[in-house]
Amino acid sequence: MAASNSRIDPVTFEVLNHRLLSITEEMGIQYMRCSGSNVLITGNDAATAIMQPDGALVSVGPYIVTQGNVLPLIVDSTKRLSADVGINDGDIFICNDPYLGAIHHPDFATVAPIYWKDELIGWIGASGHQLDTGGMDPGGFSIKVVDVHQEGLRMPPVKLVDRGTMREDVLRWIMNQVRDPLVGLDVKGQVAALNTGRRRIIELIESWGVETVKAVMAQSIDHAREKLRKRLSELPDGVWRDVQYIDHDGHETKIYQIVCTMTKKGEALTFDFEGTSPNARGLINSTYSGLQAAVLSAVYINLCWDIPWNRGVRDCIELVTKAGTVNNCAYPAPCAMATISAVIVTIDASWRCLSQMLMADERYREQSMAVWSGTSMAPIFAGTSQHGFPFAATEMSHFGGGGGARTYDDGVDTAGIVFNTTPNMPNIEDQESEYPVLYLFRRHLRDSGGPGRYRGGRSAELAYTVHKAPDNRLDGLFAGTGAEMPNAIGIGGGMPGAAIRIARVIGTDIAARMRDGAPLPDALEGIQGRLEILPPKHTRSSMDLGDVWYHSWQAGGGYGDPLRRDPERVAMDVRRKAVSAVAAADIYGVVLDGEGSCDEKATEVRRAELRQARLKQAVAPDVGDVVMSFAGSGRRSIAETLAIDFDKGTVRCGDCGHVHCRPQDNLLKHLREVKAALRTAGPVRGEDYDVGRFHLRQLCCSNCGSLVDVQVALDGAPRPYFRIDDWPAAAAAE
């Protein structure tokens, strides 16, 4: 079926565009079924994509979207650096160099050209997180590195398959550098995925014609660009800024800030990262590829739920960044931990800017969400399995992070990690059958969800011990971010979700309990022994028989003032053990009777007391150069916190109706600010790591004390803020 010079008709376009999407999904299924890696099988930590001849993204598979976002950069590097070896039909190239397009060393990416009768008509790609990359420590995260050369295998684009034949010398070279033999099977899984993708695209061309397939690829990009530009034109113009943090760089407990200033004007978005910290000496940095992948991921999920995720979206975005910063590091800065430090924290900062913008538009307000579990982590144990083979395993339960609260309902408990669009987490029995460990418990973490009118989704906690290891020991290390402060920030007055916590208990009686058939502990507090709180990045340590290793991860941020939550929902949360009775009384202001039901009169009194306590502690904000103002016409609102009437010239509290100021005034000067400890949002908010650097900045109405915004603040850091320059006329309230 030949294509005309006009655009493809809508029916043909939809059929073939969705066929391309299904090919990327089939590639991912093929990859994961061939790979024996627990990271893929238990976490779906992979990506697939189809691209045009120049590398422009057309379709991305439903897995780790950050990995999919960088495959065009891998294609670009392959084209630039592989001219001397040729790019032929049937070739496959492999690359994991963060300075050439990968996000970090553990993400091996493979790309292959697609030819039709000697014409290059596109590329396909697959990427997946590997169990090991060599380097100083097992698992791909070497905590004490100071440059990229110490982080293990780093491949520029290398021809892995030559005209359909595997280059066994290259595969042997890769296997010679890594500890876990399953890496070889994983690489072959990527080859199988690309062979499947090539075959399916050729079948599509044979059925529909090459010109039609090429036209659909181009039209998919045009469609995404046009639809996103239209959506942006419907949203208010303005500037939003958020600041996020990375704690500990592997060498010291230094704090690094990521500052994102998002400007929306007309049909375009600009993300400016001026003010971001210089790149670190340790492994937390990301290269430009990680920065771009992070911003695109935040935009896809917040703005493009019904728009193809491809080059058309990228065409609507401008990135302003300076090389040599923590999320755009300069060679040879280490960056093996990019995905779970600078990349995801960049997502958080971009996400909150986007969610604040969506809250300002009534048509799109329901799409606004608080930040999901603000970081990922890499708990790694390694050694010899009970089956006699060497291994390096990343414990993937943290992929069950808490979902951010929505403007109309709670976030989903253990919903997933935000950049994984097909979330998954390991089955405990499978883990125990594969590795010499025994899990004592894995359960939802009480009080972890960010408090709010709508609560953030809960995270979880777990503990495991060595079991049936041939040497009665393993090696353990940990790479994580967000222990001293949470990164899952709330919106509209919602509070942040839990931070991470890492610990071990040594000198336990676990071995004796197992020998005697006694019950095993089901909570950290029930484990006898010496508790040690571990830093968020700690080097390889011995996991000896009887030692218990524990960690919990970040939950979702909340939406709206917790004092506005339905008391009956709080009572239900207490009964479900999602919220403690202490948090119900001190954070939500809900008093329960002896049967666990809400005491309505006592709750009303308690909430009034908490509001008055806020006002008593409140001071005038230190405004500095921050301006929060509004321009437009008609009547507008920012979620439920602010009501703006341009005709009457007022900005009112959305709760009590108090007039704060005129729209053109600096609203910040008319609010009150409460400096509160992070634990005001609940336990596990960094108290085990607290050295006095972080606090909650609660902005509230000067009349009723209702929360307008809650920020995680570091003294001396830039303030988050927003300024709306204009609303489109069609968005005015009736």
Side-chain angles (χ1 to χ4, degrees), residues 212-456:
T212 298
V213 172
K214 288 162 57 178
V216 168
M217 289 182 176
Q219 190 167 323
S220 181
I221 293 173
D222 292 343
H223 172 65
R225 184 190 308 110
E226 292 165 6
K227 193 162 185 179
L228 180 54
R229 283 177 175 171
K230 181 179 184 299
R231 178 154 296 156
L232 289 171
S233 71
E234 295 170 346
L235 289 162
D237 287 347
V239 181
W240 292 261
R241 183 169 75 187
D242 196 59
V243 186
Q244 284 271 4
Y245 305 96
I246 304 172
D247 55 346
H248 206 302
D249 60 12
H251 300 278
E252 57 182 328
T253 58
K254 185 177 178 181
I255 300 298
Y256 296 81
Q257 66 186 29
I258 291 178
V259 181
C260 176
T261 304
M262 184 188 81
T263 301
K264 185 268 166 180
K265 187 172 183 179
E267 298 178 342
L269 275 175
T270 299
F271 293 86
D272 189 334
F273 292 93
E274 176 68 29
T276 295
S277 296
N279 51 233
R281 184 168 177 256
L283 73 169
I284 63 172
N285 307 290
S286 81
T287 60
Y288 179 85
S289 59
L291 170 65
Q292 175 178 275
V295 173
L296 282 172
S297 298
V299 171
Y300 287 163
I301 297 168
N302 281 278
L303 295 180
C304 303
W305 57 89
D306 58 351
I307 296 174
W309 294 1
N310 62 30
R311 175 69 198 195
V313 175
R314 180 64 179 89
D315 290 343
C316 301
I317 297 169
E318 180 183 359
L319 298 179
V320 179
T321 175
K322 182 165 58 177
T325 51
V326 72
N327 62 356
N328 183 12
C329 61
Y331 175 85
C335 45
M337 198 179 158
T339 52
I340 57 178
S341 284
V343 171
I344 193 168
V345 174
T346 300
I347 292 176
D348 297 338
S350 305
W351 184 288
R352 196 160 185 268
C353 290
L354 289 162
S355 67
Q356 300 268 37
M357 177 178 67
L358 289 167
M359 281 202 305
D361 188 278
E362 293 183 0
R363 289 165 299 182
Y364 294 112
R365 190 162 294 154
E366 287 194 351
Q367 302 298 332
S368 181
M369 288 184 287
V371 178
W372 284 41
S373 64
T375 61
S376 182
M377 55 172 61
I380 295 170
F381 50 89
T384 302
S385 78
Q386 66 268 45
H387 310 293
F389 60 79
F391 75 92
T394 301
E395 212 295 328
M396 299 295 289
S397 293
H398 60 276
F399 264 33
R406 295 157 287 178
T407 56
Y408 58 90
D409 206 351
D410 293 348
V412 178
D413 294 336
T414 49
I417 211 77
V418 72
F419 50 67
N420 187 348
T421 58
T422 309
N424 198 16
M425 61 192 300
N427 178 283
I428 293 301
E429 286 74 18
D430 288 344
Q431 291 286 99
E432 292 175 337
S433 67
E434 185 80 9
Y435 303 114
V437 294
L438 176 70
Y439 284 75
L440 302 182
F441 58 84
R442 185 177 70 183
R443 63 182 192 179
H444 282 120
L445 180 61
R446 187 180 300 184
D447 289 326
S448 57
R453 178 175 184 180
Y454 297 115
R455 175 178 53 76

Side-chain angles (χ1 to χ4, degrees), residues 555-608:
Y559 166 76
D561 191 330
L563 297 182
R564 298 187 66 188
R565 184 167 177 80
D566 181 351
E568 292 300 330
R569 296 190 73 164
V570 177
M572 177 62 75
D573 279 346
V574 174
R575 289 194 292 271
R576 294 175 55 231
K577 298 184 179 180
V579 171
S580 66
V582 172
D586 293 347
I587 301 176
Y588 292 98
V590 173
V591 180
L592 305 176
D593 61 23
E595 297 180 353
S597 297
C598 172
D599 184 326
E600 294 183 6
K601 291 185 178 180
T603 293
E604 186 176 342
V605 171
R606 178 61 176 158
R607 288 186 162 181

